[in-house]
Amino acid sequence: MGSIHHQLTMFWLIIFYMSVLHTHNKGGLFVEGIGCNWGTRAMHPLPPDVTVRLLKDNGFGKVKLFEAEPWVMQALGRSGLEVMLGIPNEFLAPLAASVQAAENWVMQNVSNYISKHGVDIRYVAVGNEPFLKTYKGMFQMTTFPAMQNIQAALIKAGLGRQVKVTVPLNADVYESSTGLPSNGDFRADIHDLMMSIVRFLQESNYPLTINIYPFLSLNADPNFPKEYAFFTPGTSSPIVDGAFTYTNVFDANYDTLIAALEKNGFGSVEVIVGEIGWPTDGDKDATVENARRFNQGLLDRVSQNKGTPRRSTPPDIYIFGLIDEDAKSIQPGNFERHWGMFYYDGTVKYDLLMPDGQILVPAKGVRYLERQWCVLSPTASIADPAITDSVNYACQYSDCTSLGYGSTCNMLDVRSNVSYAFNQYFQSQNQQKGSCGFSNLSVITKTDPSEGTCRFEVMIDTGKHDLTAYISNDAGLFNRGVVWRTLATIVFGLLLWSR
């Protein structure tokens, strides 16, 4: 017969073990050196607790946010995820003008979430590509003072060592007069400003964050050698730059920055790749196949701990992005809404082998609206003059970017094009009564009208999701009820043993 002390000890050990099962990510460990961008510009954002679980189940230990949204920040509390928290460009002017404004921002968005919610904030990213040429200098006077004031506010809050300051910049802040990485230097119009910022980063032991997009290099130049955009060996001739040879544009682009830092006496500054990825729709080169090829090559580099010719230590990277965002601006191109490794609902777009040996797994606990679609009525004439206005209206208030040239739904016939537009609007409006009206040109069907690569969506129900159905551990997925019934059986056995 066991002692009461021994029985209680066994009981609490079992409770502890079950809590570990409940909180451990599926892969067992987070993947070192790799994070993911979590953008929320979606009409129906995936619920934040589902998204946090999606990150953890796929081994992502770091996440980059573009702003401090309460529903996202609270979900990250005590998640074990390291957070890079962004400050939108529109906040730069007030933060630059007032230390008090910076202190208020840090108190509300950093101190509050660290102390009250247990969010592991590691970086504050001041601005988002504020020196883009297209901004025409709009943020050049405010970015650096905002960085300084945020640093002062973090120090005052007692977070000066815990939270570092950085600034995410687009790769257009540096250039090479010869096209060779070794001739890299910062743009002439911002050279002095970049010297001040990089000196500040070096003296404070802060990293510089840079966004590099080989897809955009390919998209912007019809003569760009396509194979040079990927990491796998192709037909492109390598670029020889002195002692270094470059077989892909990422290495060349990144080393142009490293050369610019070295040339100006800042060769020791840490660099983080804040955004890198490949879209899957909205352009002829934005395909699932190309995205899988690019991102797998990127992940393989992480697995191999591979740096670049000029800097052997690999940088931390944040893949862009996690989930598609159907409400993003399409000014750069229709592909802007399709950067996710996962579709809007957290389903996997393509297989990726993560550095920890795991294959991507989909989001769990997602629930959907009723399986029904809004389509063009079989009795409607395609010549009806009301169709054009109806389609334009539907696409104005939903996402029709998959219908464009080279996109996944580009092969649809005219009737199916109209049906796709109608359904996108219907789903964006939560299938509400009257949202499949369109001047009596449409009907609701229970038969999935998807064709080939073109997916007719059923929207997620953002008011319903269920994470209690599963918990994850190293052995796989277990039904939560079974686990707790097992625990109850063990405890009951202990009680019998004590009699």
Side-chain angles (χ1 to χ4, degrees), residues 281 343 373-376 402-403 407-421 423 445 447-457:
D281 207 352
Y343 290 107
W373 297 263
C374 178
V375 297
L376 181 65
S402 294
L403 290 173
S407 301
T408 54
C409 298
N410 182 232
M411 77 301 188
L412 297 179
D413 63 22
V414 175
R415 297 190 70 87
S416 294
N417 261 272
V418 175
S419 292
Y420 183 89
N423 186 64
T445 179
T447 303
D448 187 351
S450 298
E451 297 181 35
T453 59
C454 185
R455 293 162 37 114
F456 278 63
E457 298 173 353

Side-chain angles (χ1 to χ4, degrees), residues 471-486:
I471 63 174
S472 61
N473 70 3
D474 293 340
L477 295 175
F478 290 83
N479 183 283
R480 191 178 183 181
V482 171
V483 172
W484 287 107
R485 284 195 297 273
T486 302

